[in-house]
Amino acid sequence: MAKSFASFGFRPELMQGIQDLYYKEPTPIQEEAIPLILEGKDVIGQAQTGTGKTAAFMLPILNRLDAGKRDIQALILTPTRELSIQIAKEVEKLGKHLHVNVLSLHGGTDIDRQLSKLKSTVHIVVGTPGRVLDHMQRGSLHFGRISTLVLDEADKMMEMGFLEDVEQVIVHTPSQRQVLLFSATMPDMVKRLAHRFMKQPPHIKIEGKQKTVEKIEQFYYVVNQSDKTDALVDVLEQEQPFLTIVFANTQVRVQQLTARLQENGFQAQALYGDLSQSKREQLMRHFREMRFQYLVATDIAARGLDVEGVSHVINYDLPNDVESYIHRVGRTGRAGQSGKAISLISPRQKNLMSRFAKATKASIEERILEPGRHLDAGRRQRALEREAHFIELRAKQAKEQQKEKEKEFAPVREALKKKAKVKPGYKKKLARELEELQMRYEKNRRKAEAIAARKAGKTVKPADAKKAGRGKAGRGAKGARPFRQN
Ligand code: AMP
């Protein structure tokens, strides 16, 4: 039987915080990691986002925290500012009845404001390695008395080139501190880091499906690139989602897509790396408060976002790697709710999709999209545009052909023009050649006209066509005068 939170012997104030968040029972990573962390061991937790790993390390830290002391007692390093802010928020919620002061230190915000906050009591610091190191070098931060150091999403921190910064920070912490390392994967760099700075840590691995991901329904639609936006609009109309995050792969695509959604009457806002920190925070606040329903984002901007009530995640563009796919999908189905993850893919991306399914041990089925009014209208419009383009192209070709013909006639005409001393027989021969050329030309022209008329919706009756066939050329060389002869 699963353990209960009460079995950990947490303080009543902390149990109250857990209850406030409606956590009923510990998740697998919490069940395994919390007793070891409470014993004071260094621990490696290999678990993905969405498994409840934050509370797994935070609950023991909060349980032993002494709010009466003015020292910083725990430091949590994270790869991104979003994750840092999110962890700080979770600490505030869980530690609400413990009167804990937590500070998030991350780039993109005013360093002076952070400095002034550091002058008041701070018990827990969460931050990105660069900004934390910056404060240490200014002398505004000391970690001489911390009892716990957490390296969260260690693989991401290494991937983002934070190894040196992380090492610098670690060597300035007391040797007796407890080190907790959490990482979705264990590349060599992370293993080396653990080996250097941790004391015989037990390695907890939470395999396969995450508690929350199990409740996510995943499927995809195959659509052409030119149909994608219309398809997205139809999907949104059909799904009637609550809060939705739409992922696109670049900033430009995020901006364009947001504009298109707005044009179609959706309350959409764009979130991407280049926005100022305050703008990003404001956007996230408004999204959480449901002031708008559709957040269009790039991966980096959305890393670590934890918003309750996200019913749908849509991959407008498919990510290239499994990690990003898992991360995106994990934005829905938070806190045990159900969710849907829908991808719009090209036929060639089916292989990639089956790789994601294998890696997540999930079934991601292909579904056929019922074209709604947008996809229908869009396709019709594009078909008309294509047709107009071909008509223009054909007209151009006909003109060119006519020019060519004219060139072909030129020598004959020239010869006829010169009332030179040519043998009578030769003159007749030239006239015959000219007549033949003219007849061929007329025939081709009529054929082209008939095709064009058919395309334009006019039907040419066979009788009319015949009549036309007996036109000028039918009257013989004398009646045919498309070219001037001298
Ligand atoms: P994390 O893996 O830390 O990103 O957490 C994923 C989500 O699960 C967050 O929204 C947490 O608030 C939520 N969560 C953490 N622990 C529990 C729990 N024991 N029961 C229900 N939800 C939880």
Side-chain angles (χ1 to χ4, degrees):
M1 216 185 86
K3 273 193 176 171
S4 68
F5 280 111
S7 70
F8 298 130
F10 287 145
R11 292 152 67 177
E13 299 91 330
L14 187 54
M15 288 302 285
Q16 189 58 52
I18 295 170
Q19 256 179 32
D20 289 352
L21 289 178
Y22 301 103
Y23 293 175
K24 288 196 177 61
E25 57 184 41
T27 62
I29 184 83
Q30 291 164 2
E31 205 175 305
E32 289 197 47
I34 290 173
L36 295 169
I37 302 174
L38 285 174
E39 275 177 41
K41 289 201 165 98
D42 284 359
V43 174
I44 294 176
Q46 192 175 342
Q48 284 153 353
T49 181
T51 51
K53 64 183 171 63
T54 313
F57 62 75
M58 221 51 245
L59 289 169
I61 291 175
L62 288 170
N63 195 54
R64 75 164 73 107
L65 193 117
D66 183 351
K69 280 193 189 164
R70 290 182 57 87
D71 302 321
I72 298 171
Q73 294 164 49
L75 168 65
I76 295 122
L77 293 181
T78 70
T80 64
R81 43 188 168 182
E82 277 73 20
L83 193 55
S84 176
I85 294 166
Q86 190 178 301
I87 293 174
K89 286 218 172 91
E90 193 150 345
V91 174
E92 271 169 10
K93 284 188 210 155
L94 286 170
K96 187 173 160 207
H97 305 281
L98 291 162
H99 310 292
V100 172
N101 286 331
V102 57
L103 177 62
S104 172
L105 293 180
H106 47 265
T109 44
D110 187 0
I111 203 151
D112 291 331
R113 260 179 48 202
Q114 292 181 342
L115 280 172
S116 75
K117 277 196 184 166
L118 278 168
K119 287 196 182 113
S120 55
T121 305
V122 174
H123 301 112
I124 297 176
V125 169
V126 193
T128 50
R131 183 52 68 100
V132 168
L133 195 62
D134 196 351
H135 277 286
M136 274 174 51
Q137 283 161 350
R138 284 164 185 257
S140 48
L141 259 186
H142 302 278
F143 295 116
R145 288 177 204 269
I146 63 160
S147 45
T148 315
L149 168 69
V150 182
L151 307 174
D152 192 25
E153 300 209 356
D155 51 351
K156 275 287 153 222
M157 286 201 281
M158 298 303 103
E159 207 179 292
M160 291 167 79
F162 284 137
L163 174 65
E164 274 183 29
D165 290 357
V166 170
E167 285 176 341
Q168 283 256 24
V169 175
I170 299 178
V171 295
H172 284 91
T173 58
S175 56
Q176 289 314 307
R177 80 282 185 251
Q178 180 182 33
V179 182
L180 308 174
L181 182 148
F182 285 79
S183 197
T185 56
M186 289 298 288
D188 285 347
M189 241 173 156
V190 175
K191 281 187 197 146
R192 276 200 295 274
L193 192 73
H195 186 70
R196 250 188 93 187
F197 295 107
M198 298 174 81
K199 295 178 211 103
Q200 297 166 342
H203 184 154
I204 299 166
K205 196 169 172 184
I206 299 300
E207 292 273 9
K209 282 188 203 168
Q210 306 159 4
K211 182 177 181 282
T212 47
V213 167
E214 273 174 18
K215 298 198 173 173
I216 300 171
E217 193 183 338
Q218 300 178 60
F219 55 94
Y220 64 87
Y221 295 119
V222 177
V223 284
N224 289 329
Q225 183 65 30
S226 55
D227 287 340
K228 257 192 177 179
T229 313
D230 294 325
L232 173 67
V233 173
D234 280 353
V235 168
L236 293 180
E237 283 194 353
Q238 284 161 19
E239 289 286 332
Q240 295 286 319
F242 191 49
L243 290 182
T244 301
I245 303 180
V246 182
F247 283 97
N249 284 353
T250 65
Q251 193 158 310
V252 173
R253 283 171 75 78
V254 162
Q255 287 166 320
Q256 287 169 342
L257 185 56
T258 308
R260 287 292 306 276
L261 288 177
Q262 286 169 347
E263 277 164 24
N264 278 286
F266 292 92
Q267 300 163 318
Q269 295 292 331
L271 179 72
Y272 46 87
D274 274 2
L275 289 180
S276 71
Q277 181 61 23
S278 61
K279 180 74 192 159
R280 281 159 78 163
E281 279 173 28
Q282 186 199 43
L283 265 179
M284 286 318 299
R285 204 174 49 249
H286 288 176
F287 189 50
R288 282 197 177 88
E289 290 167 359
M290 296 167 211
R291 294 209 211 168
F292 66 93
Q293 216 181 340
Y294 303 92
L295 183 73
V296 187
T298 54
D299 277 304
I300 189 73
R303 180 153 280 282
L305 285 189
D306 185 11
V307 179
E308 259 182 54
V310 174
S311 62
H312 287 66
V313 162
I314 299 187
N315 287 316
Y316 179 79
D317 292 326
L318 211 54
N320 294 318
D321 59 289
V322 174
E323 271 305 302
S324 305
Y325 181 81
I326 293 174
H327 168 258
R328 288 182 182 187
V329 170
R331 299 309 95 202
T332 180
R334 309 297 283 175
Q337 294 167 346
S338 61
K340 280 190 191 178
I342 305 173
S343 301
L344 302 181
I345 72 165
S346 72
R348 288 219 313 247
Q349 286 175 320
K350 276 190 179 188
N351 282 344
L352 195 55
M353 217 60 228
S354 47
R355 256 180 41 213
F356 292 162
K358 233 185 197 165
T360 53
K361 300 197 178 90
S363 92
I364 309 177
E365 66 177 52
E366 176 177 352
R367 293 199 188 161
I368 306 298
L369 180 63
E370 282 294 322
R373 59 198 175 104
H374 293 89
L375 194 48
D376 268 343
R379 281 180 177 162
R380 265 200 309 276
Q381 175 65 23
R382 278 186 290 280
L384 283 175
E385 281 166 11
R386 270 197 304 276
E387 185 63 12
H389 170 71
F390 284 128
I391 288 174
E392 199 179 307
L393 209 68
R394 278 195 295 269
K396 220 164 148 188
Q397 276 171 351
K399 224 171 172 180
E400 308 247 304
Q401 270 171 3
Q402 187 174 341
K403 256 192 205 158
E404 286 297 307
K405 288 281 168 215
E406 297 235 14
K407 259 194 223 158
E408 225 177 295
F409 290 143
V412 184
R413 243 191 342 252
E414 281 306 304
L416 285 174
K417 247 193 244 170
K418 289 178 201 157
K419 288 174 185 158
K421 292 165 214 151
V422 282
K423 288 182 193 162
Y426 183 56
K427 201 166 177 182
K428 264 189 197 155
K429 191 177 159 222
L430 284 177
R432 241 191 346 266
E433 275 178 15
L434 178 61
E435 188 184 347
E436 267 168 29
L437 279 169
Q438 282 173 331
M439 278 171 73
R440 247 191 293 151
Y441 169 78
E442 275 301 309
K443 205 168 146 197
N444 286 340
R445 191 180 58 77
R446 278 198 306 278
K447 224 194 238 169
E449 272 176 8
I451 291 169
R454 236 192 346 264
K455 284 271 154 69
K458 287 183 224 157
T459 39
V460 179
K461 287 185 210 152
D464 294 345
K466 259 190 203 159
K467 233 186 273 165
R470 270 187 269 109
K472 289 176 182 173
R475 272 186 261 125
K478 276 183 195 158
R481 286 280 187 274
F483 303 105
R484 211 154 54 83
Q485 293 178 27
N486 292 325

